[in-house]
Amino acid sequence: MTIAEVSARCGLTADTLRYYERVGLIPAVKRTAGGIRNYDESDCSWIDYIKCMRGAGIPVETLIEYVGLFKGGEKTIAARKQILLDQKKVLENKIRDIQEVLDRLDWKIDGYEDRMVEYERQLKRKTE
């Protein structure tokens, strides 16, 4: 597949795909005799994985480290697993923080007209 086809399939720009390859987030993509990138399903699997992890907010640097360890083979399994465990904890903390915000919004929305309008009037008086 060409970079344009992969870009359309994955919903990433060609520039992003080139960047991912340049920094080592995906293995070097094979090229045609004319030098055009020729993505295969394995490349697309890596792209899907990186896209998923980035969508969850995992830093590029962490993913570069993970991919580098992957290239090191089975001797790096424990280190790779630890990276995933660490990132899982970070995401769990983010989810907890977001849930707290959602709970607060639910409280504000529930009975908004009864509670919040009066509270906001009081706040407005203090700023005048």
Side-chain angles (χ1 to χ4, degrees):
M1 283 179 276
T2 66
I3 199 167
E5 291 168 330
V6 173
S7 176
R9 173 179 166 173
C10 296
L12 296 171
T13 66
D15 287 340
T16 298
L17 293 171
R18 287 185 201 98
Y19 169 73
Y20 283 178
E21 184 181 358
R22 187 175 70 249
V23 299
L25 285 179
I26 59 174
V29 176
K30 293 176 190 81
R31 301 207 181 220
T32 66
I36 296 171
R37 285 174 175 85
N38 186 20
Y39 293 84
D40 61 22
E41 286 303 318
S42 176
D43 298 322
C44 291
S45 292
W46 271 107
I47 293 165
D48 289 341
Y49 174 71
I50 297 301
K51 183 179 175 186
C52 175
M53 297 296 108
R54 289 293 299 136
I58 295 176
V60 168
E61 296 79 14
T62 301
L63 293 169
I64 291 170
E65 179 184 4
Y66 180 88
V67 173
L69 288 168
F70 174 82
K71 291 175 184 176
E74 288 189 17
K75 66 183 182 214
T76 67
I77 288 173
R80 284 183 277 149
K81 184 176 181 181
Q82 190 58 54
I83 288 172
L84 297 177
L85 289 167
D86 293 346
Q87 291 306 306
K88 180 180 184 237
K89 188 67 174 166
V90 168
L91 289 173
E92 288 170 343
N93 289 338
K94 284 182 185 179
I95 289 168
R96 186 196 67 240
D97 293 346
I98 290 170
Q99 187 60 55
E100 288 175 9
V101 171
L102 282 171
D103 292 345
R104 188 169 190 171
L105 284 172
D106 284 342
W107 179 83
K108 284 185 147 201
I109 291 166
D110 182 39
Y112 186 84
E113 290 78 8
D114 297 330
R115 265 194 326 269
M116 293 310 300
V117 171
E118 182 54 35
Y119 177 71
E120 289 172 351
R121 284 186 190 129
Q122 291 173 12
L123 284 177
K124 187 174 180 180
R125 282 189 221 124
K126 289 180 183 180
T127 61
E128 294 176 342

